[in-house]
Amino acid sequence: MDATNHNQNKSSSGIWGAAFAVMLAISGVLGFLLFQEKQETDKQSTEISIKARDLAITHSKLDSISRELDAKIAQVQQLGGNIEELQKLKVQLEADKAAVLKNKNVSVAKYEKKIKEYEAILTQKDEDIARLQEENGQLTNQNQQLSQENTTIKTDLDNTRRSYSDSVSTLRTNNKELEDKVTIGSALRAENVRVLAVNKRGKERSNDENEYKGRKTEKIKVAFTLAPNPLTKEEPKDILLRVVDPEGAVLSDTETGSGVFSFQGKDMQYTYKQSVRYSTNRPIVEMLYTRGQDYKKGKYNIELYAEGFKIGEGNFVVR
């Protein structure tokens, strides 16, 4: 009985030992699997973090290139270069930036290659910009040179115009002086001016002293000869007579044909006007003036004018 129980207890102990061994083995396997899964999870988490970091760096590089590209576009445009190619590149770059943010499974290596291509293009554009700056510098120098030449030409032209204007002005002055000389040269000249007294009966009296009695003088006759002048046109000429009394007043009466004329820029009164046909054969002119009242005593001066010139003078005395 005791032996039987002993054997039964021994058999039970073996079963429990075997079961424990199996459970221990299973636990070991499960622990190993759990450990392996944890390592795999940690590895994936690490890879995701690295990928996220790499994508962030890639996007940052693309963004930096985008800003640099904007600066290049502005420079090329300012220098007058063609920006069409750079604008297309800008569109492509913005699309790449958006793709990096949108898709987490993109290839970082692929975009690293693109970044190098973008950087190479920017480097090339630096060379193009340097070339444009040099060309613009040359154009600026040429423009400055042309501007200086234009200034010189304008100055020369202004000097030429001024010289021409001065020459024309001098020529006009000379012509005016010549015209004045010709005009002066063509002026009439009264010779042998004599004054005769005419009484109421029409009888003329004259003497070498040209002295007459006032009560016997109703009219005066001024006689003279027009000297020949080849520069003077043979045509009718208006002769103006001025009779100045002893007090310096001009005898004037519109009813007897008096009026006003211009002489040397001043308006002057004349006593009497008569039209005379001028010729070169020394015509004799007689101008008869009727005052209509007695002459007061004193010396009277006679002045003769024609075509803006004083052509002769004389005098007479009333006693």
Side-chain angles (χ1 to χ4, degrees), residues 11 42 97 107 114 118 149 161 166 201 206 222 238 269-270 273 277 284 287 306 314:
S11 175
D42 291 342
K97 284 171 59 179
S107 173
K114 282 192 172 186
Y118 286 137
E149 291 176 356
R161 286 176 177 171
D166 292 342
R201 297 192 299 272
S206 65
V222 180
D238 286 337
Q269 285 185 324
Y270 63 85
K273 178 172 71 173
R277 180 71 188 184
I284 297 175
M287 301 181 71

Side-chain angles (χ1 to χ4, degrees), residues 72 76 85-86 120-130:
K72 296 288 186 274
V76 173
E85 180 184 352
L86 291 176
I121 293 173
L122 292 178
T123 300
Q124 177 61 44
K125 288 305 170 184
D126 283 337
E127 296 177 1
D128 293 343
I129 289 173

Side-chain angles (χ1 to χ4, degrees), residues 93-275:
L93 180 57
E94 292 302 318
D96 288 340
K97 284 171 59 179
V100 169
L101 291 177
K102 187 181 297 184
N103 188 358
K104 303 302 181 182
N105 295 321
V106 296
S107 173
V108 174
K110 172 185 174 182
Y111 281 96
E112 285 294 332
K113 182 179 179 182
K114 282 192 172 186
I115 288 172
K116 290 182 180 179
E117 292 175 353
Y118 286 137
E119 290 174 342
I121 293 173
L122 292 178
T123 300
Q124 177 61 44
K125 288 305 170 184
D126 283 337
E127 296 177 1
D128 293 343
I129 289 173
R131 176 177 54 79
L132 286 173
Q133 288 174 335
E134 182 179 358
E135 291 176 355
N136 281 340
Q138 293 175 353
L139 288 175
T140 300
N141 291 335
Q142 290 176 1
N143 287 337
Q144 289 177 347
Q145 184 177 357
L146 288 174
S147 177
Q148 291 175 353
E149 291 176 356
N150 287 337
T151 301
T152 302
I153 292 173
K154 185 178 182 300
T155 301
D156 293 342
L157 183 59
D158 289 342
N159 291 336
T160 301
R161 286 176 177 171
R162 192 176 297 107
S163 177
Y164 175 76
S165 178
D166 292 342
S167 299
V168 171
S169 178
T170 301
L171 181 61
R172 286 175 179 171
T173 301
N174 292 339
N175 287 340
K176 182 66 170 58
E177 291 177 353
L178 181 60
E179 289 175 1
D180 292 343
K181 289 179 180 178
V182 171
T183 301
I184 293 172
S186 64
L188 297 174
R189 184 164 57 88
E191 297 179 333
N192 302 321
V193 179
R194 297 175 298 125
V195 181
L196 295 79
V198 181
N199 61 22
K200 295 180 180 180
R201 297 192 299 272
K203 184 177 179 180
E204 299 176 0
R205 289 176 296 146
S206 65
N207 55 57
D208 294 338
E209 291 79 15
N210 285 342
E211 293 185 1
Y212 307 106
K213 293 181 180 181
R215 59 186 178 82
K216 293 185 178 181
T217 302
E218 182 184 16
K219 304 175 183 179
I220 60 170
K221 178 186 287 188
V222 180
F224 54 90
T225 301
L226 289 177
N229 188 337
L231 297 178
T232 304
K233 293 182 180 180
E234 295 189 7
E235 59 184 6
K237 309 285 186 182
D238 286 337
I239 308 296
L240 305 178
L241 168 67
R242 294 188 71 199
V243 181
V244 183
D245 69 15
E247 296 177 358
V250 178
L251 303 186
S252 176
D253 188 348
T254 55
E255 293 184 0
T256 59
S258 300
V260 177
F261 72 106
S262 178
F263 179 71
Q264 295 182 351
K266 297 188 300 183
D267 289 336
M268 297 175 60
Q269 285 185 324
Y270 63 85
T271 304
Y272 182 70
K273 178 172 71 173
Q274 182 173 317
S275 182

Side-chain angles (χ1 to χ4, degrees), residues 69 72-74 76 82-91 121-122 125 129:
L69 181 59
K72 296 288 186 274
I73 291 174
V76 173
N82 189 345
I83 61 172
E84 184 178 353
E85 180 184 352
L86 291 176
Q87 287 176 327
K88 290 180 180 179
L89 189 65
K90 173 72 174 177
V91 173
I121 293 173
L122 292 178
K125 288 305 170 184
I129 289 173

